[in-house]
Amino acid sequence: MTDLDALIRLCPPPNPPMTIDWSEVEADVGSGPPDDYKALAERYGPGTFCDYLTLYHPHGPTEYVNLTGPMPERVRARLRTDYDRGTHPVAHDPDHLFACGVTSNGEYLFWITEPASEPDSWQVAVNEARGPLWYAHHGTITNFLVSVLTGQIQVPQFPVGLLQSPPVFTPSHPVLIKPEPDDAPPPPPVDAAVIRTWAREHGHPVPTRGRIPPNTLKVWETAHRH
C-alpha cells in the first residue's frame, strides 16, 4: 500500500481526481515538485486537513495558498533575513527550503530541497509560528500527512487535540466578505484558512476551528479593500 492509498483510506477525498498541467507548474517553481505531491494534489485538490493544515496547491483559490503564487518566495525572504541577521534560528539554509503548506496557527511546511535535482528524495520541515522550534520529518509530504493523521508522530508545534475528531479533508470554500458596489467586480473567494493565517501573522486572535470572529473579518476586509 502506498502512502497515498493509506491517506485515502484514512481520510477519503470528497471529490473526484482533477487534472493539473504539471509542465506549467514546473516552469513556475523550477525543479520539483515531488511525484508523491503531484499524485496527492491531483487526488485531493485544494483544501485543508482537519481544519488546520493546508497544503499549497497549483489551483489554490488565493495567492496565500497557491503553490505557484508569491508565498513560497515571501516566506523564504523572511527566513533569509532571520538567517543572515541571526535574529531567529533557522534550521536549514533558506535557499534549500520551499514553503509548501501552512497551518491555521501560522506554522509553515517546507520541502528541504536537497538534492535539488532529486525532488522525490526531498524531506519535510515545519517551523514554529512564534518561536524558534523546528521539526524535521524524514519522509515525503504524503508520508508526513499519514504519520500526523494516524498519530504515529506528534509535531510539537501542532495542537495536542488535533486528532480529537476523525481526520477529515475539507475542499477550499469561499468566505463571503463585504460586497462591493454593484458596478465593481466581485472580490475573489477567500479560504477561511487564509484569513486565519493572516490574522495570526498580524496579531489578531482567531480560533483554530469554527466561526471567524466578526471583528477579525472586518479587519481583514479593511486591510484588503482596494
Side-chain angles (χ1 to χ4, degrees):
M1 180 186 298
T2 67
D3 287 324
L4 182 58
D5 291 334
L7 185 63
I8 291 171
R9 178 176 294 186
L10 175 68
C11 183
N15 296 324
M18 68 189 306
T19 300
I20 298 172
D21 184 350
W22 290 110
S23 62
E24 183 176 332
V25 174
E26 290 165 357
D28 286 336
V29 304
S31 61
D35 285 343
D36 80 287
Y37 169 83
K38 294 177 182 178
L40 173 64
E42 289 179 347
R43 188 62 192 90
Y44 278 86
T48 303
F49 289 90
C50 296
D51 196 27
Y52 184 74
L53 200 161
T54 301
L55 292 186
Y56 292 165
H57 193 280
H59 292 178
T62 74
E63 67 177 26
Y64 296 99
V65 291
N66 195 303
L67 187 74
T68 61
M71 287 308 295
E73 187 54 42
R74 288 179 186 173
V75 174
R76 179 180 287 144
R78 293 182 208 161
L79 294 180
R80 170 55 64 190
T81 298
D82 288 343
Y83 188 83
D84 290 344
R85 295 179 180 176
T87 51
H88 298 288
V90 179
H92 307 273
D93 186 331
D95 289 341
H96 298 153
L97 292 173
F98 189 101
C100 60
V102 65
T103 74
S104 295
N105 192 44
E107 285 86 23
Y108 288 100
L109 278 67
F110 299 89
W111 282 307
I112 305 171
T113 59
E114 297 181 279
S117 61
E118 299 178 19
D120 291 338
S121 67
W122 293 353
Q123 299 180 356
V124 177
V126 184
N127 73 342
E128 186 176 10
R130 289 165 290 278
L133 188 64
W134 282 78
Y135 178 86
H137 177 74
H138 301 295
T140 67
I141 193 69
T142 310
N143 180 262
F144 173 80
L145 287 173
V146 172
S147 299
V148 169
L149 299 183
T150 58
Q152 294 177 31
I153 62 172
Q154 172 63 51
V155 180
Q157 297 93 312
F158 291 0
V160 175
L162 181 64
L163 300 179
Q164 286 182 344
S165 300
V168 64
F169 178 81
T170 305
S172 295
H173 290 299
V175 173
L176 296 178
I177 54 181
K178 185 177 180 180
E180 299 291 337
D182 291 340
D183 59 348
V190 181
D191 194 285
V194 173
I195 296 180
R196 294 180 198 277
T197 299
W198 180 92
R200 289 193 173 91
E201 288 183 345
H202 290 80
H204 302 289
V206 61
T208 299
R209 300 173 182 268
R211 183 169 175 262
I212 297 175
N215 287 343
T216 302
L217 278 177
K218 185 175 181 180
V219 172
W220 162 271
E221 294 166 10
T222 301
H224 293 80
R225 186 176 297 141
H226 297 288

